[in-house]
């Protein structure tokens, strides 16, 4: 059975938020009466008579730095949140022209008082908004929530005002029950189609809920005993490490220049190119990153790019390629070099030991053989195998069922293209169970899209084709990455409580809870789900946008993958901050910690722990209570840290 699959290019989904209507819209006129009084009367178009009088509350004046509560009318304080939201939606739907809806947002902006400068603090900032937005929340003695907000943009301020109208004086339960998707019908067709403006609805709501959750926990005396995750804070002036693990990471970002020079001399003399994975030891990555300035044939990337980089280096005259990664990466580099006609170029790995991978091991187990045999009995079938498997596994699988290799960067497009070319096909994906489940969940979410939105993801698919392929998409149930397995319930609950308003990144290999959390953030442009390169590109994009805005800001990124990524992330961020005149921008990279990855405090490093069926050595952490070490703990892959030789000796080929 011959299959020729070409991967279709990925394109982002885009659609018009509002349709234009030629009907004339109402003119809005606001009249302020009795300026000396706390009560203001607004005269508006009769179309919206339900809002002809908005009365600001004078209750609890002393309970907050503000003298009035924003736009809560006495006739609406007992009204249920869904009813308020429904009425607000009707208001906007009655205005068919985008420009008129925008005017109505600006009208709402005029209804809330300015926030005192003392409240315009970093802790009150709403992350992810194009403009600066501040939010303050209070839990009253009556058990009701009070909200105050402000922005240096009238559009964002108007959006905040609408949300305050819906949620002010609601119960905490009502605030927490509102979903970001419930706000979809409030999307305003702004001039120029600025989708980032629309995301203000969602980001402000998430911040409201985060602050509400904390206030309720404090009042009930049930504050979770969560400590902040370790993190690195970068500014144009330097790096601040929070937590012992972060301090250890930061230490390796600035290697000794003598070590770098020694390495560069060896590489130049012997014409050695280096391809390293993002997950390699941070000490090694720190030296390599510094050496890149003096020797261009060094690449730190994901597994998809490693082999391509090796070919580029061979074309430039490198006689040897050193691969810093696990065995399947070395095999892949060797195979691609041979295919490109560079059989004479030597490929070296960094240890005589087997450098395995929990996913590669899963694909060589008897259970995977049974999975492939089932596929072979259901023609026409295609086996889509993750690159994190050995060449032996790939070759053996192809004997049973037609097999193609994918990476986390192209797996979705590969599967969609396969079904597009052979609609009657059955696809068997493996061995990563979490990634398989996440792909299925992603396709299930696509069944809620329009044909146009689906076509923007893949031009050969529609709602009917996605529904049709789902029953014929299978994934292996017994394979996990031991690192990404750590991003389970415990970590997710901590992120929800402490970092739900931050930028969330997640590799496709993470469990479903973390995947869903990051996908929700992705919908409001506050998250990314994909490969390591996708994560790096997302962080780079968001930092560049903040640099271009040239205002004080604090960006917080939760790193939902192996902690070794931080070296490349820091290098990109430092480059962007160094080229900017914006000295006020702060970028924080957060490393989630799971108790399952806690290292022992004993000095006996011969101890071991079991993750699934895999026994791994435990190295004492730099801080036992934090549970992290450079060589194991946090989200750190012990397989990637197998290289034990001193780096110069290793490149001297004597290891």
């Amino acid at each position: 059975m011959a299959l020729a699959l070409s991967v279709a290019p990925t394109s982002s989904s885009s659609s018009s938020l509002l349709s234009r209507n030629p009907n004339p819209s109402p003119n809005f006129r606001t009249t302020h009466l009795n300026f000396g009084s706390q009560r203001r009367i607004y005269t508006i178009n009769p179309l919206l008579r339900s809002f002809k009088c908005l009365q600001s509350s004078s209750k609890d004046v002393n309970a907050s730095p503000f003298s009035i509560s924003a736009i809560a009318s006495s006739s609406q304080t007992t009204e249920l949140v869904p009813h308020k939201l429904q009425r607000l939606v009707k208001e906007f739907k009655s205005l068919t022209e985008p420009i008129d809806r925008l005017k109505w947002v600006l009208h709402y902006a005029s209804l809330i008082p300015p926030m005192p400068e003392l409240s315009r603090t970093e802790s009150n900032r709403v992350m992810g908004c194009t403009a600066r937005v501040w939010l303050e929340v209070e839990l009253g003695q009556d058990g009701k929530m009070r909200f105050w907000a402000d922005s240096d943009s009238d559009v964002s301020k108007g959006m905040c005002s609408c949300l305050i109208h819906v949620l002010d004086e609601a119960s905490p339960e009502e605030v927490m029950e509102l979903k970001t998707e419930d706000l979809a019908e409030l999307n305003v067709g702004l001039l120029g189609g600025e989708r980032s403006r629309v995301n203000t609805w969602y980001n402000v709501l998430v911040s409201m809920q985060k602050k509400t959750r904390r206030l309720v926990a404090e009042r009930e005396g049930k504050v979770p005993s969560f400590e902040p995750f370790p993190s690195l804070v970068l500014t144009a002036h330097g790096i601040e490490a929070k937590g012992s693990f972060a301090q250890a990471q930061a230490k390796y970002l600035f290697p000794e220049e003598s070590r770098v020079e020694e390495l560069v001399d060896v590489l130049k003399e012997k014409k050695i190119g280096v391809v390293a994975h993002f997950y390699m030891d941070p000490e090694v990555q720190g030296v390599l990153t510094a050496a890149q300035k003096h020797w261009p044939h060094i690449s730190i990337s994901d597994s998809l790019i490693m082999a391509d980089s090796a070919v580029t280096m061979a074309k430039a005259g490198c006689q040897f390629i050193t691969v810093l990664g696990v065995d399947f990466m070395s095999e892949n580099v060797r195979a691609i070099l041979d295919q490109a006609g560079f059989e004479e170029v030597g490929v070296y790995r960094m240890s005589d030991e087997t450098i395995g991978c929990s996913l590669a091991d899963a694909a060589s187990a008897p259970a995977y053989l049974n999975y492939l045999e089932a596929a072979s009995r259901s023609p026409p079938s295609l086996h889509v195998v993750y690159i994190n498997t050995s060449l032996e596994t790939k070759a053996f699988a192809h004997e049973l069922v037609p097999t193609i290799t994918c990476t986390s960067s192209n797996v979705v497009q590969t599967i969609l293209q396969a079904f597009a070319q052979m609609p009657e096909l059955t696809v068997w994906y493996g061995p990563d169970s979490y990634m398989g489940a996440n792909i299925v969940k992603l396709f299930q979410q696509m069944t809620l899209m329009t044909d146009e939105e689906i076509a923007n993801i893949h031009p050969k698919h529609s709602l009917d084709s996605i529904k049709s392929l789902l029953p014929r998409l299978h994934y292996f149930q017994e394979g996990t990455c031991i690192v990404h397995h750590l991003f389970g319930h415990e970590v997710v609950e901590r992120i929800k409580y402490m970092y739900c308003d931050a930028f969330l990144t997640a590799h496709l290999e993470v469990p479903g809870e973390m995947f869903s959390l990051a996908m929700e953030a992705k919908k409001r442009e506050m998250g990314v789900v994909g490969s390591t390169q996708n994560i790096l590109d997302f962080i780079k994009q968001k930092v560049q946008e903040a640099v271009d805005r040239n205002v004080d800001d604090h960006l917080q990124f939760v790193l939902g993958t192996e902690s070794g990524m931080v070296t490349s992330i820091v290098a990109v961020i430092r480059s962007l901050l160094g080229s900017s005149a914006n000295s006020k921008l702060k970028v924080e990279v957060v490393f989630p910690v799971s108790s399952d990855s806690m290292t022992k405090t004993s000095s006996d490093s011969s101890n071991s722990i079991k993750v699934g069926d895999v026994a791994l050595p435990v190295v004492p952490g730099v801080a036992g209570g934090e549970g992290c070490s450079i060589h194991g703990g946090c989200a750190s892959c012990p397989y990637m840290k197998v290289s034990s030789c001193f780096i110069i000796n290793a490149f001297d080929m004597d290891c």
Side-chain angles (χ1 to χ4, degrees):
M1 180 183 188
L3 290 173
L5 297 179
S6 57
V7 178
T10 305
S11 61
S12 59
S13 174
S14 61
S15 61
S16 175
L17 295 173
L18 293 171
S19 59
R20 301 187 68 86
N21 190 304
N23 295 332
S25 59
N27 295 317
F28 302 112
R29 179 169 55 87
T30 302
T31 304
H32 297 258
L33 300 179
N34 192 6
F35 285 88
S37 169
Q38 288 187 348
R39 184 185 300 270
R40 291 182 179 178
I41 300 175
Y42 298 92
T43 304
I44 62 176
N45 186 280
L47 177 66
L48 302 170
R49 291 185 182 279
S50 61
F51 288 84
K52 66 181 179 180
C53 180
L54 295 176
Q55 181 182 29
S56 58
S57 172
S58 59
K59 298 178 181 179
D60 297 327
V61 173
N62 297 324
S64 164
F66 302 103
S67 60
I68 58 177
S69 176
I71 74 168
S73 73
S74 58
S75 63
Q76 296 167 348
T77 55
T78 60
E79 194 175 2
L80 294 176
V81 166
H83 293 163
K84 287 186 179 181
L85 180 60
Q86 185 179 19
R87 194 151 74 173
L88 188 64
V89 167
K90 287 181 179 179
E91 285 185 45
F92 281 101
K93 281 190 171 181
S94 69
L95 307 172
T96 56
E97 289 290 337
I99 186 62
D100 295 325
R101 301 181 81 174
L102 177 57
K103 288 179 180 178
W104 197 233
V105 171
L106 296 177
H107 167 76
Y108 265 95
S110 70
L111 302 182
I112 58 175
M115 181 179 278
E117 283 298 322
L118 289 176
S119 295
R120 292 180 169 226
T121 62
E122 183 179 296
S123 62
N124 285 337
R125 282 285 295 277
V126 177
M127 208 175 302
C129 298
T130 302
R132 292 187 297 174
V133 177
W134 296 268
L135 174 71
E136 195 157 61
V137 181
E138 177 187 280
L139 176 56
Q141 293 300 319
D142 57 358
K144 303 295 185 181
M145 302 306 303
R146 307 300 195 283
F147 299 97
W148 298 269
D150 206 349
S151 174
D152 52 14
S153 159
D154 285 340
V155 173
S156 296
K157 186 174 181 179
M159 291 177 167
C160 292
S161 178
C162 291
L163 286 174
I164 290 174
H165 169 70
V166 172
L167 292 174
D168 200 60
E169 298 195 11
S171 68
E173 293 77 15
E174 289 176 308
V175 174
M176 298 307 300
E177 285 173 1
L178 193 63
K179 302 290 188 291
T180 53
E181 50 264 32
D182 296 335
L183 306 179
E185 292 184 286
L186 292 176
N187 289 346
V188 180
L190 299 178
L191 298 177
E194 295 183 63
R195 176 163 178 76
S196 56
R197 291 282 191 188
V198 172
N199 290 321
T200 299
W201 295 117
Y202 312 129
N203 294 333
V204 173
L205 174 60
V206 169
S207 291
M208 284 176 160
Q209 292 174 332
K210 176 183 177 181
K211 291 175 180 287
T212 296
R213 187 184 297 111
R214 288 192 173 186
L215 288 172
V216 170
E218 290 172 4
R219 174 161 295 187
E220 295 178 349
K222 298 178 181 178
V223 178
S225 56
F226 292 147
E227 292 294 329
F229 287 138
S231 66
L232 288 174
V233 181
L234 293 87
T235 67
H237 308 294
I239 298 177
E240 175 190 359
K242 296 183 177 181
S244 303
F245 178 70
Q247 291 170 4
Q249 293 277 357
K251 172 184 175 182
Y252 297 123
L253 296 173
F254 307 98
E256 296 178 12
E257 189 60 34
S258 60
R259 298 183 70 193
V260 176
E261 292 175 356
E262 189 178 356
L263 173 62
V264 170
D265 289 343
V266 172
L267 297 179
K268 287 182 176 180
E269 177 188 349
K270 300 196 173 185
K271 297 182 179 179
I272 301 173
V274 182
V275 292
H277 195 272
F278 285 128
Y279 295 167
M280 279 302 297
D281 191 294
E283 182 175 12
V284 175
Q285 287 197 57
V287 175
L288 291 176
T289 300
Q292 282 176 317
K293 301 173 184 176
H294 311 286
W295 180 243
H297 307 305
I298 297 174
S299 173
I300 303 174
S301 65
D302 63 12
S303 53
L304 175 65
I305 298 176
M306 288 174 70
D308 293 338
S309 299
V311 172
T312 300
M313 294 172 188
K315 290 179 178 178
C318 289
Q319 298 177 3
F320 306 97
I321 303 295
T322 296
V323 181
L324 302 183
V326 296
D327 284 345
F328 76 79
M329 297 175 183
S330 301
E331 293 176 347
N332 195 47
V333 168
R334 175 73 276 166
I336 297 301
L337 281 172
D338 290 349
Q339 186 182 47
F342 292 101
E343 296 90 344
E344 77 284 357
V345 174
V347 175
Y348 288 81
R349 50 200 293 278
M350 296 307 297
S351 174
D352 288 332
E353 304 174 44
T354 297
I355 310 177
C357 165
S358 59
L359 288 173
D361 293 343
S364 61
Y368 204 72
L369 173 61
N370 296 335
Y371 177 70
L372 293 177
E373 288 178 341
S376 68
R377 295 192 296 268
S378 303
S381 285
L382 173 69
H383 175 219
V384 178
V385 64
Y386 193 25
I387 193 172
N388 294 34
T389 50
S390 68
L391 284 181
E392 182 180 14
T393 294
K394 295 180 178 75
F396 182 77
H398 195 63
E399 291 296 316
L400 293 175
V401 59
T403 298
I404 60 173
T405 300
C406 71
T407 72
S408 52
S409 297
N410 65 16
V411 59
V412 172
Q413 289 296 318
T414 298
I415 293 174
L416 288 175
Q417 182 65 15
F419 278 117
Q421 290 186 218
M422 297 185 64
E424 74 283 5
L425 192 67
T426 298
V427 170
W428 304 74
Y429 168 80
D432 192 320
S433 302
Y434 288 139
M435 186 182 292
N438 292 338
I439 292 168
V440 170
K441 188 178 298 183
L442 186 62
F443 289 162
Q444 288 172 341
Q445 292 178 359
M446 289 177 65
T447 63
L448 304 177
M449 297 180 180
T450 65
D451 284 343
E452 181 182 2
E453 290 170 332
I454 293 172
N456 283 328
I457 297 173
H458 193 287
K460 299 296 185 180
H461 279 283
S462 64
L463 179 59
D464 288 340
S465 68
I466 297 298
K467 288 181 177 179
S468 174
L469 69 82
L470 274 169
R472 290 176 286 108
L473 173 59
H474 304 277
Y475 64 92
F476 186 57
Q477 303 285 332
E478 302 176 44
T480 59
C481 166
I482 61 172
V483 171
H484 292 109
H485 174 72
L486 299 174
F487 292 91
H489 178 75
E490 178 194 350
V491 167
V492 167
E493 288 304 305
R494 198 161 161 186
I495 291 174
K496 284 181 179 178
Y497 185 80
M498 301 185 69
Y499 302 98
C500 63
D501 56 344
F503 292 99
L504 303 183
T505 71
H507 198 279
L508 264 175
E509 295 176 17
V510 299
E513 282 185 287
M514 184 67 182
F515 171 82
S516 296
L517 199 65
M519 283 297 292
E520 187 280 327
K522 184 177 185 293
K523 291 177 183 177
R524 50 191 173 90
E525 298 187 358
M526 290 292 291
V528 63
V529 178
S531 67
T532 47
Q533 188 63 50
N534 295 147
I535 290 172
L536 183 63
D537 292 343
F538 173 80
I539 294 175
K540 181 178 180 180
Q541 174 194 342
K542 293 303 178 183
V543 174
Q544 183 64 66
E545 289 173 358
V547 167
D548 293 341
R549 287 196 297 269
N550 197 29
V551 296
D552 64 304
D553 210 344
H554 181 184
L555 309 184
Q556 196 174 52
F557 295 92
V558 176
L559 186 59
T561 189
E562 218 269 3
S563 57
M565 274 289 295
V566 70
T567 308
S568 295
I569 291 171
V570 168
V572 165
I573 294 173
R574 290 183 66 203
S575 174
L576 294 174
L577 295 182
S579 63
S580 167
N582 180 7
S583 60
K584 299 179 181 179
L585 184 62
K586 292 198 297 186
V587 183
E588 184 174 9
V589 182
V590 179
F591 310 97
V593 181
S594 166
S595 62
D596 289 340
S597 69
M598 297 289 271
T599 56
K600 307 293 185 182
T601 55
S602 166
S603 60
D604 180 9
S605 61
S606 64
N607 293 330
S608 65
I609 59 173
K610 237 186 165 184
V611 180
D613 296 327
V614 183
L616 299 172
V618 176
V619 181
V622 288
E626 191 176 80
C628 296
S629 79
I630 293 301
H631 301 285
C634 283
S636 183
C637 178
Y639 296 110
M640 287 286 188
K641 310 302 188 288
V642 163
S643 303
S644 56
C645 293
F646 180 63
I647 187 170
I648 300 300
N649 290 334
F651 284 116
D652 205 24
M653 307 304 176
D654 295 329
C655 183

